[in-house]
Amino acid sequence: MIPYSYHDPNTSKYVKRTWGKHCNVLLFVSGDIDGELEPYVPVINSTHTWTLVHQGLMYASLTYADKIDWFLRVEPSSFVVVENLRHLIDKRKYQPSQPIYFGYELENIVTNEPFVYYRSGYVISREALRRYTKASKDPENKDCTHWEGYAEDLDIHRCMSFANVTVAESRDEFENETFIPVEMDNQFQDGYDTIPWLRNLSYHKRTEKSVPISSRAISFLVKYPPEMYDYYYFVYRVKSFGTSVPSSIDRKRP
């Protein structure tokens, strides 16, 4: 599921033309219609992302609950290797009947508990979505009341916690991250030192300048959306012969 501003549908179109073809169902959510993207439009002219996400999750539960096991929410500027997501779910032996969701984990400075950073993308199990939807329909439930203007990741975590949905591990077996929370130039050139809030709030603390990326990474943030064509070529078309594959990507250069 991808929420996008109807003022700028082009970024989402790069998704549909590249990695989106590997999804079982590709759901766009926006504030206006579009002939190519065919989005679900819950609120006409809405550009508030969290409202679109919340309404999109409610719609997804109603429409696809008996068809889809896992629901992925990402940014329009995300590039996702869907096959690596399926591998992680299989490797971790996660089941859609488990009330879990996962992505890049940040730390709540009040409770010291993990919650999932929305910009990195996050995955919700079928059971977790069912619980979220049920709890959100209760007008007396203040923990699951959708407040426009609130932070998406904290808001959804509050409701997930109320519904006894837990944050599951999203790292690989080497404790390398699979959901990348920054654009790739930050990751490989500048490092997280230029984003102190992210370094300080990351739930899994590391001493390296940049958090190690798994060789089976799932979600990337693309700074210049047309580069999704490049990503798609290198991920799905380029074949490398005679080289070993490291367990993580080293940002150091010679």
Side-chain angles (χ1 to χ4, degrees):
M1 183 185 76
I2 300 172
Y4 72 91
S5 170
Y6 69 92
H7 295 302
D8 181 24
N10 291 328
T11 300
S12 295
K13 291 179 181 180
Y14 295 123
V15 170
K16 185 172 184 179
R17 297 167 187 170
T18 57
W19 67 264
K21 295 183 289 187
H22 294 251
C23 300
N24 297 101
V25 173
L26 188 58
L27 172 64
F28 294 98
V29 187
S30 185
D32 200 1
I33 61 174
D34 182 272
E36 179 177 349
L37 298 174
E38 301 179 320
Y40 167 58
V41 182
V43 183
I44 296 294
N45 296 333
S46 175
T47 57
H48 187 255
T49 302
W50 178 211
T51 295
L52 296 175
V53 170
H54 173 71
Q55 293 295 333
L57 290 175
M58 303 293 279
Y59 174 80
S61 178
L62 178 66
T63 308
Y64 303 111
D66 59 342
K67 303 174 184 177
I68 302 297
D69 291 334
W70 301 94
F71 299 82
L72 169 67
R73 177 271 194 257
V74 290
E75 295 283 273
S77 57
S78 295
F79 187 94
V80 176
V81 186
V82 179
E83 292 78 7
N84 285 353
L85 173 56
R86 294 181 177 127
H87 174 81
L88 174 69
I89 290 172
D90 180 69
K91 188 78 173 180
R92 293 283 179 184
K93 295 183 170 51
Y94 291 151
Q95 298 296 321
S97 58
Q98 294 176 274
I100 59 174
Y101 82 120
F102 56 88
Y104 187 86
E105 296 175 40
L106 298 179
E107 182 179 4
N108 186 315
I109 60 175
V110 177
T111 65
N112 299 120
E113 295 177 345
F115 67 96
V116 177
Y117 183 41
Y118 78 97
R119 289 207 69 218
S120 67
Y122 53 87
V123 179
I124 305 175
S125 72
R126 184 178 59 219
E127 174 60 17
L129 184 60
R130 184 193 69 81
R131 294 189 184 194
Y132 172 82
T133 302
K134 181 180 179 181
S136 296
K137 288 180 178 178
D138 182 0
E140 301 300 321
N141 186 349
K142 301 303 181 183
D143 287 307
C144 293
T145 299
H146 169 63
W147 301 101
E148 186 169 318
Y150 276 50
E152 173 185 340
D153 36 23
L154 288 173
D155 223 15
I156 196 170
H157 180 70
R158 182 172 63 251
C159 185
M160 290 290 194
S161 296
F162 172 86
N164 292 318
V165 175
T166 58
V167 176
E169 179 64 81
S170 67
R171 297 176 298 170
D172 67 14
E173 64 270 32
F174 303 104
E175 297 187 346
N176 296 319
E177 298 289 349
T178 60
F179 288 81
I180 313 308
V182 295
E183 295 168 345
M184 299 311 290
D185 57 345
N186 285 110
Q187 172 65 27
F188 290 119
Q189 297 180 33
D190 302 324
Y192 287 1
D193 287 347
T194 61
I195 316 174
W197 71 265
L198 184 60
R199 173 177 287 283
N200 294 335
L201 290 181
S202 290
Y203 187 72
H204 301 290
K205 307 298 183 185
R206 304 295 292 244
T207 58
E208 300 92 337
K209 185 175 181 179
S210 292
V211 175
I213 301 178
S214 172
S215 60
R216 293 187 295 273
I218 293 168
S219 178
F220 309 87
L221 287 169
V222 181
K223 187 173 186 178
Y224 181 56
E227 290 180 348
M228 287 191 198
Y229 291 120
D230 303 333
Y231 279 64
Y232 192 76
Y233 174 75
F234 287 118
V235 170
Y236 289 103
R237 296 290 183 264
V238 170
K239 305 296 181 183
S240 178
F241 294 97
T243 58
S244 59
V245 179
S247 61
S248 66
I249 300 176
D250 190 349
R251 68 173 300 276
K252 295 179 180 178
R253 296 181 176 181

